[in-house]
Amino acid sequence: MTFNPVMEPPAPVEALSDILMRIVSELHDVAYLIERIEPQLLELGGAEVLNSPDAMKVMQGIDLAVQKSRGLAEFIDTITGEIPLGWTVDVATALSLVKLAEMQKALGGATRHGHSQPLSKAAGDFDFF
């Protein structure tokens, strides 16, 4: 009787610096998407929005979210340059936890051009999924 253990294929590993640069790209995308909210709020609420203390707090929160997203992107971008080229990681488990398909593709290495949200759609347009 012979026993042949089933060997699982090794998990695909990628260079840590490549993965981090994809995260940088996603953070810049998030900052851009957040930044697009502010003019829309001003358009909906008019100039009176700027007179409301609560609305100003929301606008400042939007600005802070954009600054934090870009700051994190720049931080990760900077430290990525210090990572040795031979460092690799398996991202399979981490990718399985990401629920947005587009983000999963982007972080998993699939080429994506542009931003995750289409810029050409008019208000009221939506996609069925």
Side-chain angles (χ1 to χ4, degrees):
M1 178 191 223
T2 58
F3 176 71
N4 292 331
V6 176
M7 299 292 288
E8 292 199 26
V13 295
E14 296 185 59
L16 180 58
S17 58
D18 291 344
I19 295 162
L20 290 174
M21 290 310 294
R22 290 195 300 260
I23 292 171
V24 166
S25 177
E26 286 298 301
L27 284 169
H28 280 298
D29 189 31
V30 167
Y32 177 76
L33 293 172
I34 294 169
E35 197 171 41
R36 288 182 50 212
I37 295 170
E38 197 169 41
Q40 296 297 319
L41 290 176
L42 289 173
E43 187 176 310
L44 290 172
E48 309 82 60
V49 169
L50 299 176
N51 296 329
S52 165
D54 288 336
M56 285 304 295
K57 287 179 186 176
V58 169
M59 300 298 260
Q60 289 173 337
I62 291 170
D63 287 339
L64 182 59
V66 169
Q67 289 175 31
K68 283 187 166 195
S69 297
R70 287 195 174 125
L72 285 169
E74 293 303 317
F75 176 81
I76 293 170
D77 189 16
T78 302
I79 64 170
T80 298
E82 299 292 322
I83 294 174
L85 294 177
W87 285 15
T88 59
V89 293
D90 174 14
V91 294
T93 301
L95 281 175
S96 71
L97 300 173
V98 175
K99 301 302 179 204
L100 296 173
E102 284 297 314
M103 186 179 280
Q104 232 180 26
K105 287 181 200 174
L107 292 174
T111 304
R112 185 183 81 193
H113 300 288
H115 295 282
S116 62
Q117 298 296 316
L119 304 178
S120 61
K121 290 192 175 188
D125 286 355
F126 62 94
D127 293 323
F128 287 105
F129 47 113

